[in-house]
Amino acid sequence: MKKQRKRIYTALLCTCFLFSTASVPVSAAETEQGEMITLSNRSGEAEVSMKDALTSALGDSNISKITLKQDIAISDTLTVNRAVTLDLNGNVLKMTGSDSVIKVEADGDLTIQDRNTTTQHTFNPHCKYQFWYIDMWELDKDGSEIVSGGVITGGGGDQNNGGGVLVAGGTLTMAGGSIVGCSARSRGGVYLAYDSATGKSGTFIMTGGSIIGCAAQLGGGVYVAPECTFAMATGSNIHNCIANNDGGGVINHGTFQMHGGTISACTTVAFGGGGVCNKGTFIISDVMIKGCTSPDGQYASGGGVRNSNQFTMTGGTIGDPDNQNDASSVYNTSSQETTLTISNNAKIHTNVTNVGILNADGGEMTGKVTNGNEYGTGTITGSEGAAGSTEFHGKVTNTGTIRKGTFMNEVINESSGTINGGTFTGAITNNDGTVLDGDFSGATLNGMLVITFDPNNGDQPSTQKVNWSKDGAALTAPDPVPTNEGHSIEGWYYD
């Protein structure tokens, strides 16, 4: 009987142990510093409340998702070199040192999400950035601006690149949360870099969340280096960022794709592209850029967009259609590679200055357009094979060349301007410019035409000014009649 009682007792103990193990939802792992990482009963997930636990969890390849349980302050950059998800959970991840908050290395694949979007954090929007003395946002319990949900903040200080997030050849997907008040001495609150050691380029996919109140010398919000890619989708936004030089919201040397989202209220202090300064490939299909500003001048124009390479709009909007004073103007600079293409249902509601190539393949422009200026000669033309035509609803002043477009308002063709195509339905005034072709059947014609008679015999051509009219103008043949030995003149023809 004693042996039997012992066997029953042992069996009962085993049963109780198994029952207890199955009913406990969480356990804890201890870091070297003695802090605790709370492990979820869901495999591969962890909840952390202190910096060393967060660092340890990022380094543990068995953990695929990390959730912040409370605000965490760090003094050293968090490095990501594997696939992992970080859930801010409505909390603040703050850098107290002078480096980036997060660095995603070449093998890193970080997803940032935020399941608690209701917690509010206050910021002072007028904190003076120490190097350039420009406004940026700073976490402040007495601040006037509210950001809801999880926040990454405080990065930068004297750090050169990517005060908030440095994506050095890896991939970052931002599905939620906000990067707020991060700064860089040189480039970007967020900086995408090419890793020469591995040959990998940084990629940032923004499907949600915000980049707010960041500051830098170049690319206050985002700096995209050559060969890197940044993509925005509906629900994401970049706003209130500032640069001392180019690109208050974004400066792009790589590829930037905007399939949704908003860039707003960004600015530059000294140079151009308050919203966007593009020196790479920029593609917009559905987005709004509004309320952005920059100073005036050759190198400082383009409150909304300053383009120096390839900028393509197949949809989306630049400028607030409900605000006639929106300063988000567009400046298409003068270089052989500079092309601005607008098509489909894209709309630009602000003023446009074109001293490069403007492909008018569709869409609408409702602001004033200046084609050519003292810094270069602009060309309004079309992409090869493009059937659509952009509608110009605002006044157009031309000192360059017009080959395509539907011009529904006033057009001024100055003396250095050439019209060689397009459809005109408003008033058009020619101030001694050149008119070679175009549909003027629906236009009101004003001004003078300069008719050039070229004798084709080596003598200098002669000119006559006539009133430009749909009824035509009477011309008087040059006197004396030009001569050419061995030939007789039969008359004049148009070429």
Side-chain angles (χ1 to χ4, degrees):
M1 290 298 295
K2 288 183 180 180
K3 291 182 180 180
Q4 186 177 7
R5 282 198 299 270
K6 285 182 180 179
R7 284 197 295 270
I8 293 173
Y9 180 67
T10 303
L12 287 174
L13 283 177
C14 292
T15 302
C16 292
F17 175 77
L18 290 172
F19 177 76
S20 299
T21 302
S23 64
V24 175
V26 296
S27 61
E30 189 173 5
T31 70
E32 292 181 1
Q33 292 77 18
E35 296 175 288
M36 307 303 289
I37 304 174
T38 304
L39 302 176
S40 170
N41 61 345
R42 295 182 295 274
S43 176
E45 298 190 14
E47 295 178 340
V48 299
S49 57
M50 302 186 74
K51 65 177 182 179
D52 290 319
L54 174 57
T55 301
S56 179
L58 284 171
D60 188 345
S61 60
N62 294 314
I63 298 175
S64 59
K65 182 179 180 180
I66 303 167
T67 300
L68 303 190
K69 293 180 66 177
Q70 64 182 33
D71 296 348
I72 295 179
I74 59 174
S75 56
D76 297 310
T77 299
L78 299 173
T79 299
V80 178
N81 52 23
R82 64 184 184 88
V84 65
T85 296
L86 176 63
D87 184 354
L88 298 175
N89 193 28
N91 295 298
V92 174
L93 176 60
K94 181 180 179 179
M95 166 60 74
T96 59
S98 59
D99 293 324
S100 305
V101 182
I102 297 172
K103 179 182 180 181
V104 184
E105 295 184 335
D107 293 328
D109 187 352
L110 173 65
T111 297
I112 296 174
Q113 64 184 44
D114 184 31
R115 66 182 177 185
N116 178 357
T117 60
T118 59
T119 302
Q120 294 186 339
H121 310 282
T122 55
F123 286 80
N124 172 15
H126 301 297
C127 171
K128 297 298 182 183
Y129 177 48
Q130 60 179 311
F131 290 103
W132 311 110
Y133 204 67
I134 53 180
D135 286 344
M136 61 174 284
W137 289 28
E138 183 179 47
L139 191 66
D140 186 342
K141 63 181 180 60
D142 298 319
S144 59
E145 297 291 339
I146 296 175
V147 177
S148 296
V151 168
I152 295 171
T153 190
D158 62 356
Q159 218 278 339
N160 282 329
N161 301 317
V165 176
L166 170 59
V167 185
T171 299
L172 192 151
T173 301
M174 188 173 184
S178 298
I179 299 171
V180 187
C182 294
S183 60
R185 192 171 187 174
S186 182
R187 302 168 182 146
V190 172
Y191 179 57
L192 275 64
Y194 172 78
D195 182 33
S196 58
T198 62
K200 293 183 178 181
S201 302
T203 300
F204 194 116
I205 302 169
M206 195 174 184
T207 61
S210 304
I211 298 172
I212 309 171
C214 295
Q217 180 185 12
L218 299 165
V222 176
Y223 188 107
V224 183
E227 302 186 46
C228 298
T229 300
F230 193 108
M232 286 182 73
T234 302
S236 59
N237 64 84
I238 299 170
H239 67 86
N240 291 97
C241 294
I242 185 170
N244 190 63
N245 291 355
D246 291 325
V250 174
I251 187 167
N252 173 54
H253 292 266
T255 299
F256 201 108
Q257 302 172 354
M258 294 191 72
H259 305 298
T262 302
I263 297 175
S264 63
C266 295
T267 190
T268 58
V269 176
F271 292 98
V276 173
C277 180
N278 179 53
K279 298 185 179 185
T281 299
F282 207 104
I283 301 170
I284 291 179
S285 60
D286 183 14
V287 71
M288 178 174 282
I289 299 173
K290 65 178 183 178
C292 298
T293 61
S294 71
D296 293 327
Q298 177 185 6
Y299 300 108
S301 297
V305 174
R306 180 180 174 87
N307 177 48
S308 299
N309 205 321
Q310 302 295 310
F311 193 98
T312 302
M313 290 185 70
T314 61
T317 302
I318 297 176
D320 186 347
D322 299 321
N323 179 11
Q324 294 183 349
N325 297 318
D326 192 335
S328 302
S329 58
V330 176
Y331 192 95
N332 198 41
T333 63
S334 56
S335 71
Q336 293 182 349
E337 62 184 8
T338 299
T339 303
L340 169 63
T341 301
I342 178 172
S343 64
N344 297 339
N345 62 343
K347 295 179 175 62
I348 300 177
H349 294 291
T350 56
N351 296 338
V352 176
T353 299
N354 176 50
V355 286
I357 296 172
L358 170 57
N359 286 327
D361 296 340
E364 300 178 17
M365 292 187 177
T366 62
K368 295 179 181 179
V369 175
T370 302
N371 189 47
N373 60 16
E374 64 269 35
Y375 304 116
T377 301
T379 300
I380 300 176
T381 185
S383 303
E384 185 177 355
S389 179
T390 302
E391 293 183 356
F392 293 81
H393 293 273
K395 178 182 177 181
V396 176
T397 301
N398 180 48
T399 59
T401 300
I402 294 175
R403 295 179 181 148
K404 185 179 180 180
T406 303
F407 300 86
M408 309 175 76
N409 206 320
E410 181 182 10
V411 175
I412 306 294
N413 191 42
E414 300 291 4
S415 59
S416 61
T418 298
I419 296 176
N420 194 19
T423 300
F424 301 82
T425 60
I428 178 169
T429 300
N430 188 58
N431 294 330
D432 297 342
T434 301
V435 180
L436 300 175
D437 197 7
D439 181 356
F440 307 103
S441 59
T444 301
L445 306 181
N446 302 294
M448 306 291 288
L449 288 179
V450 178
I451 308 299
T452 301
F453 292 86
D454 185 355
N456 196 27
N457 64 353
D459 293 344
Q460 289 296 318
S462 60
T463 60
Q464 290 182 26
K465 281 188 177 183
V466 297
N467 289 321
W468 192 15
S469 169
K470 291 181 181 179
D471 297 329
L475 297 176
T476 302
D479 187 22
V481 176
T483 60
N484 192 358
E485 185 177 351
H487 297 79
S488 61
I489 186 169
E490 293 183 357
W492 299 88
Y493 66 95
Y494 174 76
D495 184 8

